[in-house]
């Protein structure tokens, strides 16, 4: 059974002064999980959430948390993000000298491991670690900021990763996530290429009819576009 379509928010556009209320509203709006874009000002030119901020939001929702670690040394604080309540940690291929070991370490911490590919990184980089992850994230923007334009030329790479997951017999257990510029005008292309977990920030928070309508619209469009 293929993994279901899931819609998850990036918290970047939320009101950081009211994160508890914001995550509760995201649950109310029908999101499947919450992604925290963790940025260290080194791997990417931006600085966002530490583990204590995530821990403070943890008690305000029952949704799963995943930490998208856009950091230069993901091993350094992996344990802190698990302690803060993240059940999945996403590390960037580009930030890991020993990716296989880093993914094994995340599992030893009791979290599920996931890997992200920047736009210029070939899908073949993950060929030998698919057995260690429950999610592959194909970035459709260069990481660091919300509100960027979707890089449609990533769709062949999404399809290539989908084929790799399916060929490895992991279609029932591994999600294919896309993050960056996902909106009502781009979600169908990403889903048609094989993505089943769509991350959106701007498109959710800027929707004229609110979060619930935005989540429902993205879910409907993605479901209609995915290959049968
Ligand atoms: C980039 C961030 C953004 C964010 C989504 O580092 O990861 O992609 O999650 O932002 P939008 O949906 O506004 O492109």
């Amino acid at each position: 059974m293929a993994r279901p379509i899931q819609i998850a928010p990036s918290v970047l556009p939320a009101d950081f002064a009211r994160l508890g209320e914001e995550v509760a509203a995201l649950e109310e709006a029908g999101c499947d999980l919450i992604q925290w874009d963790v940025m260290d000002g080194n791997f990417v030119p931006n600085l966002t959430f530490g583990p204590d901020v995530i821990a403070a939001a943890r008690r305000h929702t029952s949704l799963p948390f995943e930490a998208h670690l856009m950091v230069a040394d993901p091993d350094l604080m992996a344990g802190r993000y698990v302690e803060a309540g993240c059940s999945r940690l996403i590390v960037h291929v580009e930030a890991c000298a020993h990716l296989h070991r880093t993914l094994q370490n995340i599992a030893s911490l009791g979290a599920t491991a996931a890997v992200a590919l920047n736009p210029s990184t070939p899908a073949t980089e993950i060929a030998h670690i698919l057995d260690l992850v429950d999610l592959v994230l194909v970035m459709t923007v260069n990481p660091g900021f919300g509100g960027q334009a979707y890089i449609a030329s990533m769709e062949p790479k999404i399809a290539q990763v989908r084929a790799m997951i399916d060929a490895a017999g992991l279609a029932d257990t591994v999600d294919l996530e896309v993050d960056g510029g996902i909106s009502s005008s781009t979600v169908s292309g990403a889903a048609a290429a094989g993505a089943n977990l769509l991350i959106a920030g701007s498109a959710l928070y800027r929707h004229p009819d609110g979060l619930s309508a935005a989540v429902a619209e993205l879910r409907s469009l993605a479901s209609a576009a995915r290959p049968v």
Side-chain angles (χ1 to χ4, degrees):
M1 178 72 179
R3 298 288 298 151
I5 291 289
Q6 300 163 77
I7 306 297
S10 157
V11 185
L12 281 182
D15 179 350
F16 289 5
R18 301 186 307 109
L19 279 177
E21 296 161 55
E22 294 276 62
V23 295
L26 289 165
E27 180 169 10
E28 182 67 25
C31 294
D32 293 291
L33 59 99
I34 290 176
Q35 183 185 93
W36 295 87
D37 283 310
V38 175
M39 302 181 189
D40 66 354
N42 182 350
F43 183 70
V44 292
N46 201 352
L47 194 58
T48 57
F49 314 104
D52 291 344
V53 172
I54 295 172
R58 180 64 275 177
R59 62 180 176 275
H60 293 275
T61 176
S62 60
L63 287 180
F65 283 179
E66 66 178 27
H68 176 190
L69 298 177
M70 291 167 273
V71 301
D73 181 359
D75 293 298
L76 182 67
M77 293 180 65
R80 294 283 312 279
Y81 284 100
V82 176
E83 289 163 15
C86 296
S87 52
R88 173 155 61 211
L89 301 186
I90 305 171
V91 298
H92 271 261
V93 166
E94 305 85 5
C96 297
H98 302 284
L99 177 60
H100 191 282
R101 181 185 295 143
T102 294
L103 296 170
Q104 289 181 317
N105 179 49
I106 291 168
S108 73
L109 294 168
T112 54
V115 66
L117 298 165
N118 279 337
S120 67
T121 304
T124 50
E125 288 287 304
I126 59 169
H128 303 292
I129 52 87
L130 280 176
D131 60 316
L132 298 179
V133 300
D134 80 329
L135 178 144
V136 177
L137 165 53
V138 177
M139 292 297 291
T140 43
V141 295
N142 288 295
F145 302 91
Q148 301 179 82
Y150 176 77
I151 303 173
S153 61
M154 290 298 108
E155 289 179 3
K157 182 161 85 169
I158 297 168
Q160 185 181 359
V161 170
R162 168 49 61 200
M164 292 169 70
I165 291 169
D166 293 354
L170 298 170
D172 298 353
T173 55
V174 176
D175 286 313
L176 203 174
E177 180 174 296
V178 172
D179 177 2
I182 295 298
S183 69
S184 57
S185 57
T186 61
V187 67
S188 299
N196 73 284
L197 204 171
L198 296 312
I199 301 291
S202 309
L204 296 186
Y205 283 89
R206 292 178 184 165
H207 195 287
D209 298 329
L211 286 173
S212 295
V215 172
E217 182 180 51
L218 288 182
R219 192 185 305 280
S220 173
L221 288 168
S223 300
R226 77 178 317 187
V228 292

